[in-house]
Amino acid sequence: QVRLVESGGGSVRPGASLRLSCTALGSGDLFSSTSMGWFRQTPGNARTFVASIRAGGTTFYTDSVKGRFTISRDNGKNTVSLQMNNLEPEDTAIYYCAMLRSSGNSFGQGTQVTVSS
């Protein structure tokens, strides 16, 4: 059973940066061959896609974060990270790490990111 554990959230001012990290515990060799992603959710709304990275390193981003967020992975440590620069109030949400598989996606418990002046 894979468990995804996120860290790195917090409260920052607009224009600041944060780096989120996620460790896939118990994933063994599965991690290096699986796409990973980040989603976010605000109160009353559905969870939405933010970014993903394939096993081979190809990345995808939702339009609103392109040029500001960077997703990366370290297969040796079974971790995926999201570097978030130039944060905006609209980025405020709970951010979830995800393991993306055809059999179904797995999510972590989430970490809160708040951007406010």
Side-chain angles (χ1 to χ4, degrees):
Q1 184 92 11
V2 176
R3 188 162 75 97
L4 303 175
V5 180
E6 303 101 334
S7 62
S11 296
V12 297
R13 302 249 188 221
S17 298
L18 280 175
R19 185 177 180 86
L20 306 182
S21 294
C22 170
T23 301
L25 301 177
S27 60
D29 294 336
L30 176 64
F31 181 88
S32 62
S33 62
T34 304
S35 293
M36 298 295 296
W38 289 92
F39 289 69
R40 63 188 178 186
Q41 187 173 23
T42 55
N45 294 305
R47 192 151 42 192
T48 60
F49 170 81
V50 176
S52 66
I53 183 167
R54 289 182 174 171
T58 302
T59 58
F60 302 89
Y61 299 93
T62 192
D63 285 347
S64 63
V65 308
K66 285 180 181 176
R68 300 188 299 120
F69 291 11
T70 302
I71 189 171
S72 60
R73 64 190 299 158
D74 184 337
N75 290 335
K77 297 181 179 179
N78 285 8
T79 61
V80 59
S81 298
L82 186 68
Q83 177 66 40
M84 305 186 295
N85 297 330
N86 195 21
L87 282 160
E88 302 170 352
E90 293 72 24
D91 296 317
T92 296
I94 299 175
Y95 284 72
Y96 296 90
C97 173
M99 179 171 277
L100 309 174
R101 293 177 284 181
S102 56
S103 58
N105 300 333
S106 301
F107 293 92
Q109 82 287 350
T111 185
Q112 177 71 46
V113 171
T114 302
V115 185
S116 174
S117 56

